Amino acid sequence: MRDLVYPPVIGFAKTAFKVLDLKIRLTGTENVPRTGGAVIALNHISYVDFILGGFGAVPSKRLVRFMAKDVLFRNRYSGPLMRGMHHIPVDRSAGTASYREAIRYLSDGEIVGVFPEATISRSFELKEFKSGTVRMAAEAGVPVIPLILWGTQRMLTKDHPRDFSRHRAIAITVGEPTTVGTDDDPAEATAHLRTTMAGMLDRTIRDYPEQPAGAWWLPASYGGGAPTPEEAERLDQEELARRAARRK
């Protein structure tokens, strides 16, 4: 697969990180294999997660092909970049095609990035996971690598204005690869992945250099001002209702 677009985009991103003086702490990046296919499963707390999440594979000199909403591929600005970086468009009303494309990428030795929660978590804690992540890993015979992002929600997320202030701390934690067999129960494997990532998220939050009480970007269970998971679910349902009303 020829990559004429991806390397310059990474170079631009690194320059932007330097300009913003982001304090990026990378942990466990040796868990990303230097060769062969793998699924990277990421938590989802920000609109910039695919940029910073891909950065977690850079030390292994790997490029991550993210599964992303097809609307990004139709946009006049982001579309050429998404296609040029060989990301995978996802039409949520007809996901079989994108699933098969991801399997093909994995079989060809690519790394595919997936957000098992599907949408951004307003609580900044883990939402329920879809089973597609473990199912595609099992079918392609590749490992699942959990990856946790923290701090990206402070830059650009739902219900809050963008804030690209300088000197911000960003944590990227990569966990150990796990193997899912074709005989494994997808529901159990998905639950195990979520439990693993919940533990990683807890450690990452506790190790983060800032934890101001009441901060909007800190989960309620850690003394922050973010919505509880239950409140976040209500907000998600209200958002879906508004979208449905606009479509009508």
Side-chain angles (χ1 to χ4, degrees), residues 123-145:
S123 71
F124 309 128
E125 298 188 58
L126 297 182
K127 301 171 68 174
E128 291 303 310
F129 279 18
K130 308 294 185 183
S131 64
T133 302
V134 299
R135 287 190 291 108
M136 69 173 62
E139 184 171 342
V142 301
V144 178
I145 301 170

Side-chain angles (χ1 to χ4, degrees), residues 90-114:
V90 177
D91 181 352
R92 290 176 182 166
S93 64
T96 302
S98 57
Y99 180 89
R100 301 315 311 175
E101 183 75 349
I103 294 294
R104 183 178 71 81
Y105 274 38
L106 293 168
S107 299
D108 288 344
E110 298 287 342
I111 291 183
V112 174
V114 181

Side-chain angles (χ1 to χ4, degrees), residues 25-46:
R25 188 192 69 199
L26 294 165
T27 306
T29 55
E30 68 278 2
N31 290 315
V32 178
R34 291 185 175 271
T35 60
V39 176
I40 289 185
L42 307 91
N43 65 320
H44 205 1
I45 53 176
S46 165

Side-chain angles (χ1 to χ4, degrees), residues 13-14 16-18 20-27 29 51-53 55-56 59 149-150 152 155 167-173 208-209:
K14 287 182 175 180
F17 297 163
K18 288 182 180 179
L20 292 174
D21 191 30
L22 295 185
K23 308 300 183 182
I24 301 176
R25 188 192 69 199
L26 294 165
T27 306
T29 55
I51 300 175
L52 275 301
F55 196 65
L149 295 162
W150 192 247
T152 58
M155 301 171 73
H167 318 304
R168 182 141 292 159
I170 301 293
I172 302 173
T173 306
Y208 193 71

Side-chain angles (χ1 to χ4, degrees), residues 137-138 141-144 176-181 184 189 192:
V142 301
V144 178
E176 295 182 359
T178 60
T179 301
V180 183
D184 292 343
H192 176 72

